[in-house]
Amino acid sequence: MPARYRISIASRSDDAELRRRKANDEMSGDMALSFRREPDYFLGCGVQGRHSQIIKAVDNKSGHIVGLGARHTKMLFINGVATKVGYLSDLRADPDVRKRTLVARGYALLRDLHDKDPIPLYFSVILDGNDDAVSNITTARAGLPVYERRGRIATPAIHLDRNKPQLRCDGVSIRPGTPSDMPQVFSFLKRELANKQMAPCYDIEDLGSPGLLGLEPENFYLACRGEQVVGCVAAWDQSGFRQTHVERYSGGLRIARPFYNAAAHISSMKPLPKPGDKIPYLYLSLIATEDNRIDIFAALLRTVYRDQRRNNFHFIIAGLHEDDPLSQALDDYRSIDAGGSLYLIYYPEDARFVSQLDQRPFYVDMATV
């Protein structure tokens, strides 16, 4: 009798099913969320990696995709050198098939893809509270790669509500980017981000490409000492191709929402979205400062905050590793606490490569995962 489920590589013809799968998967809690990819699943893949392979599990009876996972490759800095690294994402499955052998079969196909295109290191970020995923894939079961936890990445959703005074940094001015700034900006990013593990490695030619989709020079905030760039962040609106929707409220938040929104109408607070609506937010991306100086980053963050609170966005999402001194600047803002564990993923034959990673702090740009 033929197997009920078929594991294979997805193609463009699967776009509608992939988007349905993403919309149907929810992160539970008082605020149930779905992470969607409208109007085209593959637009988001371009941001996640230069090359993407989507593994799908199809129910032969219904024809629906009941599980998926993605293998992306991208150029990241490892020990200061631009290196081809893999990123594993979007591991999803219908609840009624999670206990079957689909995970093992999916990882068997991943191993085949790896053997054809060997990469010494992959990574993934598993969000807080996703205990099932942690137990299913990090226990070194036969056929699965090694998952090695390397700390937590804080991804607070900073409320864009209360007025805050401007922060000054001696000898440094902050201004929006312009097209003529971009050669210096990308040279600066390469120089400074090489000092962090897993930091993105972009060339100026990537601006306007699928890898930086929707990011324009004016979205950059630059800290300058005279004409020299000494700090950079980008406020990146990805709502045109990746969205987070509130599916429903439960518990105390469902009861409190009408009162919260009533207070929001007469204050600087932003209202909680209706069930089914998307959450308006920006990513804080391409974070880099001269010598990793926190005072420069704090001034940049405050400028972004003051600018964007006047717009229609409710949150800025900034991702920084807990060991990065820059993460301390995030504590000065009212936010929804969120984050996830960083896992380095590799096959046993590549353990030596991973053991040679030096002590540079990790920086995973959460706008690209």
Side-chain angles (χ1 to χ4, degrees):
M1 183 165 61
R4 176 167 177 179
Y5 301 101
R6 181 175 74 257
I7 309 292
S8 61
I9 301 298
S11 69
R12 281 276 177 183
S13 64
D14 295 304
D15 177 64
E17 268 296 299
L18 291 168
R19 288 186 286 111
R20 184 194 66 84
R21 173 77 269 140
K22 290 286 290 183
N24 287 347
D25 283 307
E26 298 178 3
M27 185 175 74
S28 59
D30 285 348
M31 183 188 297
L33 304 175
S34 66
F35 304 99
R36 305 193 187 189
R37 295 275 279 271
E38 303 293 341
D40 182 338
Y41 176 88
F42 291 93
L43 284 177
C45 291
V47 170
Q48 292 175 299
R50 299 190 179 191
H51 179 59
S52 300
Q53 296 161 305
I54 315 303
I55 298 173
K56 64 176 180 177
V58 177
D59 183 341
N60 288 321
K61 185 175 180 180
S62 68
H64 288 314
I65 292 177
V66 295
L68 66 93
R71 176 188 189 258
H72 311 278
T73 58
K74 57 176 74 182
M75 298 302 293
L76 304 179
F77 284 109
I78 301 295
N79 291 348
V81 178
T83 305
K84 186 178 179 181
V85 174
Y87 168 52
L88 304 183
S89 73
D90 289 349
L91 186 60
R92 301 285 189 273
D94 278 344
D96 58 346
V97 302
R98 289 174 186 169
K99 301 301 182 181
R100 298 177 182 266
T101 61
L102 291 184
V103 171
R105 290 173 60 194
Y107 273 94
L109 180 51
L110 174 66
R111 179 72 213 215
D112 290 342
L113 298 176
H114 173 82
D115 289 341
K116 293 173 182 175
D117 176 28
I119 296 174
L121 176 64
Y122 299 84
F123 77 96
S124 189
V125 179
I126 300 180
L127 298 179
D128 295 342
N130 206 344
D131 297 333
D132 287 344
V134 173
S135 62
N136 284 338
I137 63 180
T138 64
T139 53
R141 292 191 297 173
L144 269 64
V146 176
Y147 276 71
E148 182 178 317
R149 189 179 184 275
R150 287 295 185 96
R152 182 176 184 267
I153 297 176
T155 60
I158 296 172
H159 289 277
L160 289 168
D161 51 11
R162 298 172 181 169
N163 188 30
K164 285 182 173 289
Q166 184 64 277
L167 287 181
R168 305 294 179 185
C169 183
D170 288 345
V172 172
S173 61
I174 297 175
R175 61 175 176 82
T178 67
S180 63
D181 292 318
M182 293 301 101
Q184 185 185 175
V185 168
F186 278 83
S187 177
F188 170 80
L189 286 170
K190 274 194 160 184
R191 182 172 66 251
E192 293 298 333
L193 291 180
N195 296 317
K196 295 187 178 181
Q197 302 286 20
M198 316 294 289
C201 178
Y202 291 113
D203 295 306
I204 190 171
E205 291 78 15
D206 291 306
L207 197 61
S209 76
L212 294 176
L213 182 64
L215 195 60
E216 302 292 342
E218 57 267 27
N219 302 136
F220 287 79
Y221 288 76
L222 307 182
C224 299
R225 186 182 298 114
E227 298 299 317
Q228 180 183 4
V229 173
V230 295
C232 170
V233 299
W236 194 352
D237 176 12
Q238 298 188 350
S239 60
F241 55 93
R242 297 206 297 185
Q243 308 87 22
T244 300
H245 282 246
V246 176
E247 297 300 327
R248 63 186 172 278
Y249 296 94
S250 59
L253 193 55
R254 179 178 60 82
I255 297 171
R257 178 177 167 268
F259 301 99
Y260 181 96
N261 284 355
H265 285 301
I266 57 173
S267 72
S268 61
M269 297 188 302
K270 303 293 178 73
L272 293 170
K274 294 184 297 184
D277 283 358
K278 65 182 179 182
I279 301 173
Y281 64 90
L282 291 164
Y283 281 108
L284 202 65
S285 180
L286 298 173
I287 300 169
T289 62
E290 177 185 72
D291 300 324
N292 211 36
R293 283 178 50 177
I294 188 172
D295 58 338
I296 297 176
F297 174 58
L300 282 164
L301 176 58
R302 182 61 57 85
T303 302
V304 176
Y305 178 92
R306 284 168 56 86
D307 277 0
Q308 298 301 331
R309 70 179 290 270
R310 295 193 292 265
N311 294 328
N312 293 323
F313 299 104
H314 290 195
F315 301 98
I316 294 174
I317 296 178
L320 288 166
H321 194 274
E322 61 185 352
D323 293 337
D324 190 333
L326 298 186
S327 67
Q328 298 170 29
L330 304 178
D331 297 336
D332 294 334
Y333 296 85
R334 195 172 77 89
S335 64
I336 299 173
D337 182 43
S341 294
L342 171 63
Y343 284 90
L344 303 186
I345 307 166
Y346 56 91
Y347 290 98
E349 62 267 27
D350 295 313
R352 186 170 181 273
F353 177 90
V354 178
S355 72
Q356 293 175 340
L357 268 64
D358 62 29
Q359 296 304 306
R360 298 167 211 237
F362 288 96
Y363 172 47
V364 174
D365 194 326
M366 294 303 292
T368 66
V369 300

